[in-house]
Amino acid sequence: MKRGEFHWSPETEGLALGAVYYGQLFGFMPGGRMAEVYGGKRTLIAFIFMASLCTAAVPFAARFSVHLFIACRFLIGVGTAPVIPVLFHLISRWIPESERSFNASFILAGYGVGTFLSFLTSGMLCASEFLGGWPSVFYIGGNQSIGQYLSVHKDSFSNPPTSKRLEEAVVGDWPKMIKFKAL
């Protein structure tokens, strides 16, 4: 069996692995409330951006200090914990009541699919020499999420009726659309 890069005790490894879950204990309640106060979009983007930065920093943190590594893992937990409460806040604002259960199920199914795909790709990346093997998992995952942040932080909305641009795009020119005859 190949020996890893780090020589941490089993207790340290357990603390490092559990740090995400300790962080999640601190993120659930404030995240949902923050979505109500500041809006779901801002809250979701802020927490995911924090988790993404910490994810991309994990390889550096692990090589610098086990304590910094554990802190990054803790902050990843804090950043990912509010996702579900904030998503339900956004669903309650955006999806008609009659369609919420289907849409919520569909959205939450993405977690399972995403986890499955990340396990497949993480294993392949760790076995490769791309970006140093195991660090590539964190570089790619963190930077991909940072890229998503950059693409949505200006042009997404917390509430449907608050945006004139969105209203115009959704409502459009209904009289012209209704007059259109299908072939």
Side-chain angles (χ1 to χ4, degrees):
M1 181 177 199
K2 186 179 173 185
R3 182 79 171 135
E5 180 178 344
F6 306 104
H7 305 288
W8 297 332
S9 70
E11 292 80 17
T12 302
E13 288 178 1
L15 183 60
L17 291 172
V20 168
Y21 303 107
Y22 297 132
Q24 287 181 338
L25 291 173
F26 290 94
F28 284 115
M29 298 273 279
R33 181 65 182 137
M34 288 174 70
E36 292 174 351
V37 174
Y38 302 111
K41 175 198 106 170
R42 286 185 180 137
T43 303
L44 187 63
I45 287 175
F47 277 100
I48 292 295
F49 186 67
M50 178 184 68
S52 301
L53 288 175
C54 291
T55 299
V58 160
F60 166 77
R63 289 180 175 135
F64 184 76
S65 159
V66 69
H67 302 293
L68 185 58
F69 175 71
I70 291 170
C72 278
R73 299 271 299 158
F74 181 84
L75 290 173
I76 290 168
V78 171
T80 57
V83 170
I84 299 295
V86 172
L87 281 177
F88 279 103
H89 171 80
L90 289 170
I91 287 169
S92 73
R93 300 289 191 275
W94 282 84
I95 308 294
E97 192 172 346
S98 63
E99 299 174 16
R100 285 184 193 158
S101 61
F102 170 78
N103 283 284
S105 300
F106 187 76
I107 291 167
L108 293 175
Y111 265 72
V113 172
T115 301
F116 174 75
L117 293 174
S118 70
F119 284 164
L120 286 178
T121 56
S122 295
M124 290 186 292
L125 288 169
C126 286
S128 75
E129 292 300 317
F130 181 69
L131 294 173
W134 71 267
S136 65
V137 175
F138 299 95
Y139 295 144
I140 291 171
N143 286 310
Q144 179 265 335
S145 295
I146 291 168
Q148 286 179 337
Y149 161 79
L150 294 173
S151 69
V152 300
H153 84 282
K154 284 188 179 181
D155 288 330
S156 59
F157 310 99
S158 290
N159 297 303
T162 61
S163 172
K164 189 69 175 163
R165 277 185 26 210
L166 180 63
E167 187 177 327
E168 289 170 0
V170 171
V171 174
D173 194 355
W174 282 103
K176 283 185 184 176
M177 293 174 68
I178 292 171
K179 290 180 185 176
F180 176 76
K181 294 182 181 177
L183 297 174

